[in-house]
Amino acid sequence: MLYYLFEYLENQFHFPGAGLFQFITFRAAAAFILSLLISSIYGKRIINFLQKQQVGESIRDLGLDGQIQKAGTPTMGGIIIILATLIPVFLLAKLDNIYIIIMLITTVWMGLIGFLDDYIKVFKKDKAGLSGKFKVLGQVGLGIIVGSMLYFNDGVTIKEQLPKEQQVVKENGRRIVFGEAHKSTKTTVPFLKNNELDYSKVLSFLGDGYEKYGWIVFIFIVVFIVTGISNGANLTDGIDGLAAGSSAIIVITLALFAWISGNIIFADYLDVMYIPNSGEMTVFILAFAGALIGFLWYNTYPAQVFMGDTGSLTIGGIIAVIAISIRKELLLPILAGIFVIENLSVIMQVSWFKYTRKKHGEGRRIFRMAPLHHHYQKLSYHESKIVVRFWIIGILLAVFTIVTLKLR
C-alpha cells in the first residue's frame, strides 16, 4: 500500500524521498526490519494471549530429557510468523505482482491447514490433530493452485540468453542479451554448464505437440516439492529453535537468488535464468526472514512458545513455492538439506522397521529415534548443542548453494 502511495506522491508532487520506494532493495530491507520488530515486540503480546486462552502444548512422553517440562508451553506461535510477514508485505510490496499474489495464497492456505491441525490438538484434545490424509490433501491442493498459476498466468515468463552472434548493441550503448519473454516449463539444474531442464520433454515420446501437455508434468513436480518440503519442515520442528533457525538460513539464501533472477544485469553477469518481475519476491522473502528471526527471540531454548503446525507447515510451503517460482527447486536437496535428511530419517526408520518385522518377526531400528534430531537427544546431546550444530550445517549448505551459481 505504501508503495502505491509513494508512487503517487512521486509522480504527482515529486515528493522528496518517495522515489526510494521504486527500489526493491529499499523496500525489502524495510520489510525485513519491520517484520523483525513486529515479531520480536508484539510477539510477546501474542504469547500472553495464547497463555490466557490456555493454548498449551500437549506432550507425549518419548523418554527425552527435558521433554515433560515443556508441557503447557504455548503453541500456535506460527501466528506470530504469519502476521509479521503479511503486514510488511501488504505495506511495502506490489500487491498486483503475480509472484506476491502466489506467496500470499501460499501463506494463508498453509497457515489455515496448520491452524486447523493445532486447533484440533489443543481445543479438541486430540493429540493426533488433523488426519494425515487431510494434510496431504491440503498440500496437494496448494501444489495444484500454485502450479496452475505459474503455468497458465501470462505474468509468469522467462527470458533466455541469446547466442553471442544474436546479441546486439543499441544506439544508447545498451546490449540486448536476452530474448523475448515467453512461457516455459524450464528449470535450473545445478552443476551443469548448459544448466536448464525442460520438464515438458518428459512427454516427448508423445510426438509432435507434446509441449501442450507439459502442464501435467509441471504441476505434478510442484505438488511433489510442496508436499515434501512442507512435511520436512514439519518434522524438523521438534526441538527449540531448530525449524525457525534452519528456515531463516534457507530463506535468506533464496532472497539472494530471487533478487538475482529478477535483475537483468546480474542474471546476465552470473549467466542465470532471467525471470521478469520475480525480483519483487525479495520483499516478501525478507519480510518472512525477519519474522522467523524475531520469532527465534522467544523460540530458542528454553522456548517460551512453539510454532506448532501453524508455523511449520507454512514455512515448508513458502520455501517450496519460492524455490519453484524462481526455478531453483532442484537446489532444495542441498539448500534445504536439513529438512531432507529429517524426512529421510523417518522414511528409513519406518521402512526398515516394517521390513525387519516382516522378515525376522521383530522390528529393528536404524536410529535410536526418528526424526534425526531425536536420535542425538537419545545419545544425550543437549538440544541447544544439536540445534546450533544443525544451524552450522545449514549455513555450510547455504554457502555451497550460492557457490553453485558459478560451480558448473
Side-chain angles (χ1 to χ4, degrees), residues 218-231:
F218 182 74
I219 291 176
F220 174 80
I221 295 291
V222 173
V223 168
F224 176 77
I225 293 170
V226 167
T227 303
I229 297 298
S230 59
N231 283 330

Side-chain angles (χ1 to χ4, degrees), residues 11 18 23 28 39 48 78 103 166 179 234 237 250 292 316 321 344 377:
N11 293 335
F23 294 97
S39 57
N48 291 337
M103 296 316 306
Q166 294 182 24
N234 190 228
D237 181 34
I250 295 168
L292 288 168
V321 173
L344 286 176
Q377 282 186 284

Side-chain angles (χ1 to χ4, degrees), residues 199-221:
Y199 288 132
S200 67
K201 288 191 175 179
V202 173
L203 302 175
S204 59
F205 67 91
L206 295 176
D208 294 341
Y210 69 88
E211 295 91 346
K212 63 184 178 181
Y213 301 108
W215 63 272
I216 299 174
V217 179
F218 182 74
I219 291 176
F220 174 80
I221 295 291

Side-chain angles (χ1 to χ4, degrees), residues 293-308:
I293 295 171
F295 178 76
L296 271 174
W297 186 269
Y298 303 104
N299 186 237
T300 48
Y301 182 86
Q304 296 172 254
V305 65
F306 299 140
M307 67 171 66

Side-chain angles (χ1 to χ4, degrees), residues 17-56:
L20 279 174
F21 280 78
Q22 298 299 313
F23 294 97
I24 290 173
T25 47
F26 174 80
R27 289 185 287 115
F32 177 83
I33 294 169
L34 182 57
S35 65
L36 182 59
L37 291 174
I38 292 171
S39 57
S40 57
I41 295 174
Y42 290 95
K44 184 61 178 176
R45 297 185 183 183
I46 295 174
I47 293 170
N48 291 337
F49 173 78
L50 293 173
Q51 286 176 327
K52 288 179 181 178
Q53 299 300 314
Q54 298 182 332
V55 184

Side-chain angles (χ1 to χ4, degrees), residues 115-157:
F115 180 84
L116 183 58
D117 184 47
D118 288 334
Y119 181 86
I120 293 171
K121 289 178 182 176
V122 174
F123 294 102
K124 300 297 182 182
K125 307 301 180 183
D126 183 353
K127 292 182 180 180
L130 187 65
S131 172
K133 63 183 179 183
F134 286 113
K135 282 187 188 177
V136 172
L137 188 63
Q139 292 162 340
V140 170
L142 177 65
I144 292 171
I145 291 170
V146 170
S148 299
M149 292 180 74
L150 289 173
Y151 186 87
F152 293 108
N153 191 281
D154 292 334
V156 179
T157 58

Side-chain angles (χ1 to χ4, degrees), residues 7-19:
E7 183 182 43
Y8 174 79
L9 292 174
E10 170 69 13
N11 293 335
Q12 297 297 320
F13 306 107
H14 301 291
F15 190 82

